[in-house]
Amino acid sequence: MASLRNTLPLFFCLLAATGPGLCSATSATDAFVYGGCSQQKFSPASPYESNLNSLLTSLVNSATYSSYNNFTIMGSSSSDTARGLFQCRGDLSMPDCATCVARAVSQVGPLCPYTCGGALQLAGCYIKYDNVSFLGQEDKTVVLKKCGPSEGYNTDGISQRDAVLTELLGGGGYFRAGGSADVQGMGQCVGDLSVSECQDCLGTAIGRLKNDCGTAVFGDMFLTKCYARYSTDGGKYNAKSHNYKTNYGGERTFAIIIGLLAAVVLLIIFLLFLRGVCSRGGK
């Protein structure tokens, strides 16, 4: 049976970033934000692959009725045990949540082929899996920081931005959104954190946003288990590919992945062309 993690049409959809019109435009919730893979690999048809496929199926099914869930598929050993979770943005409807998680699961296979751990953040949802324990553990590692262009030192603008971020920090719940004048803000924690851990994580993300992005018209600060974002009237959330650093370590660029996938697709097309030529020549 074909794995949920590997579907050929995805190669062409990922190529949409390099060639317009190859795929239909993704919705705002499907926009790629960042992804990362562990270094440890598993063998095809191994017990871990079977458990991982069961885990990813559970994530997709659960997203039809819940905005967060985690699962552990036990193996005969710890290294064969698959652990994973998904988290949808708090303002998504159930149908949109289910669609986003299904898309994330279909994309993470080509992004992380045969790696034991993988994580993928789309604009509307987040999934992560691994064969090492991470559920319920607070992790404030910065996996993505993006700051927009500076609008110059504007006392009113900075005050509005800081007020919105302070309101986010003071709000309750795992998903928080608000705005004031022309500034909008959003923050969310992964559901496996406690309330106090969520507050601590968001406090770190918001503090880093203020410090690192300064007077930028927009800013994104994604930690492993939470994120905070803001946008002013002069800036908007950027859904284009950008550099990212995964919690597994190492600088990677999504554009490199796109290039590799493009090379694979072109190779497949070339081989199919050669096969057609050879078939006609043998007649």
Side-chain angles (χ1 to χ4, degrees):
M1 180 179 295
S3 166
L4 285 173
R5 302 171 64 251
N6 298 283
T7 54
L8 182 60
L10 179 65
F11 284 102
F12 296 95
C13 289
L14 286 174
L15 286 172
T18 59
L22 291 178
C23 289
S24 59
T26 59
S27 69
T29 59
D30 296 336
F32 178 90
V33 179
Y34 72 84
C37 317
S38 67
Q39 295 183 348
Q40 184 181 2
K41 298 273 190 174
F42 63 83
S43 301
S46 64
Y48 181 72
E49 182 178 39
S50 176
N51 292 337
L52 178 58
N53 286 334
S54 296
L55 170 72
L56 295 176
T57 299
S58 297
L59 297 185
V60 172
N61 291 340
S62 182
T64 61
Y65 59 84
S66 176
S67 61
Y68 164 79
N69 214 336
N70 70 77
F71 296 90
T72 299
I73 308 298
M74 299 300 297
S76 58
S77 66
S78 177
S79 61
D80 289 335
T81 298
R83 306 164 175 86
L85 59 77
F86 76 90
Q87 172 87 66
C88 286
R89 205 174 66 208
D91 60 346
L92 290 193
S93 65
M94 282 294 93
D96 286 343
C97 175
T99 299
C100 186
V101 171
R103 185 176 293 274
V105 167
S106 73
Q107 291 186 10
V108 77
L111 180 68
C112 302
Y114 299 110
T115 64
C116 293
L120 180 61
Q121 175 77 60
L122 302 183
C125 63
Y126 171 74
I127 65 169
K128 181 177 180 179
Y129 61 86
D130 212 327
N131 65 345
V132 298
S133 179
F134 68 89
L135 297 172
Q137 299 177 6
E138 184 180 8
D139 188 346
K140 296 186 289 184
T141 304
V142 176
V143 292
L144 170 68
K145 177 186 74 172
K146 187 169 182 65
C147 303
S150 173
E151 62 176 352
Y153 190 81
N154 182 329
T155 303
D156 291 338
I158 293 174
S159 297
Q160 290 176 3
R161 190 273 315 266
D162 289 350
V164 169
L165 293 178
T166 299
E167 180 183 355
L168 289 183
L169 186 58
Y174 286 77
F175 174 75
R176 309 173 188 187
S180 174
D182 62 349
V183 182
Q184 301 295 318
M186 180 188 301
Q188 186 166 19
C189 297
V190 178
D192 64 334
L193 295 184
S194 67
V195 173
S196 60
E197 288 172 337
C198 175
Q199 188 69 14
D200 180 55
C201 190
L202 284 176
T204 299
I206 289 172
R208 288 292 302 267
L209 265 183
K210 292 180 178 180
N211 182 68
D212 294 4
C213 289
T215 60
V217 295
F218 69 86
D220 299 340
M221 188 64 64
F222 284 83
L223 311 186
T224 301
K225 287 294 182 78
C226 72
Y227 68 82
R229 316 178 76 179
Y230 76 87
S231 177
T232 69
D233 189 54
K236 56 185 177 180
Y237 295 138
N238 190 342
K240 294 181 179 179
S241 304
H242 42 247
N243 294 338
Y244 62 91
K245 183 177 181 180
T246 76
N247 56 314
Y248 300 110
E251 295 290 340
R252 306 179 68 187
T253 306
F254 188 57
I256 295 176
I257 297 172
I258 293 295
L260 292 175
L261 293 177
V264 171
V265 172
L266 291 175
L267 177 61
I268 292 172
I269 294 173
F270 179 68
L271 292 175
L272 291 174
F273 172 76
L274 285 181
R275 186 174 68 177
V277 172
C278 292
S279 297
R280 289 194 296 270
K283 290 183 178 180

